[in-house]
Amino acid sequence: MNVAKSGYRVFSANSTPACIELAKKITERLGVELGKSVVNQEANRETRVEIKESVRGQTIFIIQTIPRDVNTAIMELLVMTYALKTSCAKNIIGVIPYFPYSKQCKMRKRGSIVCKLLASMLAKAGLSHIITMDLHQKEIQGFFTIPVDNLRASPFLLQYIQEEVPDYRNAIIVAKSPSAAKRAQSYAERLRLGLAVMHGEAQCSESDMADGRHSPPCVRNSSGHPGLELPCKQQAPFPGIELPIMMAKEKPPITVVGDVGGRIAIIVDDIIDDVEDFVATAEILKERGAYKIYIMATHGLLSADAPRLIEESAIDEVVVTNTVPHEVQKLQCPKIKTVDVSMILAEAIRRIHNGESMAYLFRNITVDD
């Protein structure tokens, strides 16, 4: 399609073959050519971006998939956005299927909310709109001062279950922790299946991590000599008043709430990265009588030894979408399967450019989904 007729251009912020694959699928569905640009790393690892065609007065969509080198991918996106902004592009819209640093969206001890920082950097660089998919927490949208469309991959994963999982009517949806129960419940209700939840000491939810804001005041230590006390920087706010100390949590032994005996167990989550928890969950489900175990996740980061651990585990199949490139991991582990979501990303681009409502892409999706 000629650029004059389409009125918009689509660029990829990464030029490596693995990362550009999703961008090519999207442009093929849209009937446009991928914009001409060069993205490379200098000898000192600085990022250089060159736009090889005029973008003046046009709407630009930048597709950036996040490989293992997350920080380089972020710089590529920021530098390309700024290059397009200084080239007088009318609107610059970021298509970021997996939003990086999304797990760092809460304050931990004396750390920082890095996801909020990244949101500010993208807006400052020149993005006017963001299209993403299955944010780790939906509240992340509140970090942005620009519109965010948080698309869902669940329709594609649900379709995969119905078409590719034999005898899926005998399956049960499993949440590997209570925090994942809402997502699992959504799948169970749509497939008209039962629900099981893993609970116990083997799980460690994000809310259980130590947070300095909940630290109780320390007690002054007496040196044994009257009138001499060791200094203490943290103490009760009022002399003579003792604050109640928060009792430490003690998790019960691992429990499966729900009957998985003689069933196909389907574990659902948004991200699968370090797979130790999934492997441990699969072993417990096998012990409880599940005869097949599937894992469904939107973003397959599959870091470190994940392919080897999956191959050696009781897991029968791991199904992820192509929001993150994982072709190398698939070669290492044939249990990993991919679902293509380029269709919904292409439709989102088309609707935004034409000024059409996005409601169609969110039909039958509730607040809890």
Side-chain angles (χ1 to χ4, degrees):
M1 184 183 293
N2 187 284
V3 65
K5 294 181 180 179
S6 66
Y8 67 96
R9 299 294 287 165
V10 180
F11 286 84
S12 173
N14 193 309
S15 56
T16 59
C19 296
I20 209 170
E21 182 182 353
L22 180 61
K24 285 184 175 179
K25 288 184 177 181
I26 291 173
T27 52
E28 286 173 4
R29 291 183 180 277
L30 291 170
V32 300
E33 294 180 358
L34 197 60
K36 296 178 177 63
S37 64
V38 176
V39 182
N40 54 34
Q41 306 296 319
E42 301 286 358
N44 62 353
R45 302 299 296 166
E46 288 185 357
T47 300
R48 180 180 293 276
V49 174
E50 294 182 25
I51 309 300
K52 294 294 188 178
E53 59 186 273
S54 174
V55 295
R56 183 178 296 272
Q58 296 179 34
T59 297
I60 306 298
F61 293 87
I62 307 176
I63 301 171
Q64 178 65 313
T65 52
I66 307 298
R68 289 190 177 186
D69 191 352
V70 177
N71 295 330
T72 297
I74 291 171
M75 281 306 301
E76 289 171 346
L77 179 59
L78 290 170
V79 174
M80 177 169 277
T81 300
Y82 192 66
L84 291 165
K85 179 182 177 181
T86 54
S87 298
C88 298
K90 181 180 179 182
N91 293 307
I92 307 170
I93 300 167
V95 182
I96 315 168
Y98 167 65
F99 195 81
Y101 286 97
S102 59
K103 284 190 174 182
Q104 297 190 46
C105 60
K106 296 179 182 179
M107 180 65 73
R108 302 297 181 201
K109 290 188 176 180
R110 295 167 185 84
S112 61
I113 306 176
V114 185
C115 193
K116 165 65 173 170
L117 172 64
L118 181 56
S120 301
M121 290 168 63
L122 291 172
K124 187 68 176 178
L127 288 184
S128 57
H129 195 141
I130 284 180
I131 302 171
T132 187
M133 181 168 282
D134 281 339
L135 288 169
H136 186 56
Q137 299 287 342
K138 293 187 290 294
E139 292 77 11
I140 291 175
Q141 295 177 79
F143 293 163
F144 291 87
T145 56
I146 57 178
V148 176
D149 285 311
N150 182 27
L151 304 176
R152 305 297 197 274
S154 53
F156 297 91
L157 296 174
L158 289 167
Q159 184 181 23
Y160 184 94
I161 293 172
Q162 292 174 314
E163 296 179 356
E164 302 296 334
V165 177
D167 193 24
Y168 84 92
R169 290 293 183 187
N170 189 39
I172 186 168
I173 306 298
V174 180
K176 71 179 182 68
S177 66
S179 61
K182 278 188 177 181
R183 182 183 301 273
Q185 181 181 357
S186 173
Y187 275 70
E189 290 175 352
R190 281 169 168 75
L191 293 168
R192 277 65 172 174
L193 299 177
L195 176 66
V197 180
M198 307 291 294
H199 176 61
E201 59 186 4
Q203 304 299 328
C204 180
S205 64
E206 293 180 5
S207 59
D208 295 334
M209 297 173 68
D211 190 320
R213 294 172 296 176
H214 300 296
S215 300
C218 65
V219 180
R220 288 181 177 272
N221 296 319
S222 176
S223 62
H225 298 279
L228 294 177
E229 293 181 339
L230 295 177
C232 180
K233 293 182 179 180
Q234 189 177 9
Q235 52 185 309
F238 301 103
I241 297 178
E242 292 186 4
L243 297 177
I245 298 177
M246 178 67 72
M247 294 178 63
K249 288 185 178 181
E250 184 176 346
K251 293 192 174 183
I254 192 69
T255 306
V256 181
V257 182
D259 182 17
V260 299
R263 301 284 192 88
I264 300 171
I266 302 176
I267 306 169
V268 298
D269 214 334
D270 62 327
I271 299 172
I272 176 168
D273 190 1
D274 297 326
V275 299
E276 285 84 356
D277 286 349
F278 290 94
V279 170
T281 301
E283 291 176 356
I284 293 168
L285 292 172
K286 278 286 187 181
E287 292 174 1
R288 298 294 194 276
Y291 70 91
K292 267 194 176 181
I293 298 172
Y294 289 79
I295 295 176
M296 301 281 167
T298 303
H299 310 296
L301 305 186
L302 302 169
S303 302
D305 292 332
R308 179 182 60 82
L309 293 173
I310 292 171
E311 186 65 24
E312 297 173 355
S313 72
I315 299 168
D316 292 282
E317 198 168 281
V318 174
V319 183
V320 293
T321 71
N322 56 345
T323 56
V324 177
H326 52 266
E327 293 304 316
V328 174
Q329 292 90 327
K330 287 179 69 175
L331 294 175
Q332 298 171 348
C333 177
K335 291 182 179 180
I336 300 172
K337 309 297 180 183
T338 307
V339 175
D340 182 22
V341 293
S342 61
M343 181 188 300
I344 192 171
L345 294 170
E347 180 63 15
I349 290 174
R350 189 192 68 79
R351 285 176 174 271
I352 289 173
H353 172 66
N354 293 334
E356 300 176 18
S357 172
M358 295 286 284
Y360 178 79
L361 302 182
F362 295 95
R363 63 194 187 283
N364 299 326
I365 292 176
T366 64
V367 175
D368 292 331
D369 287 336

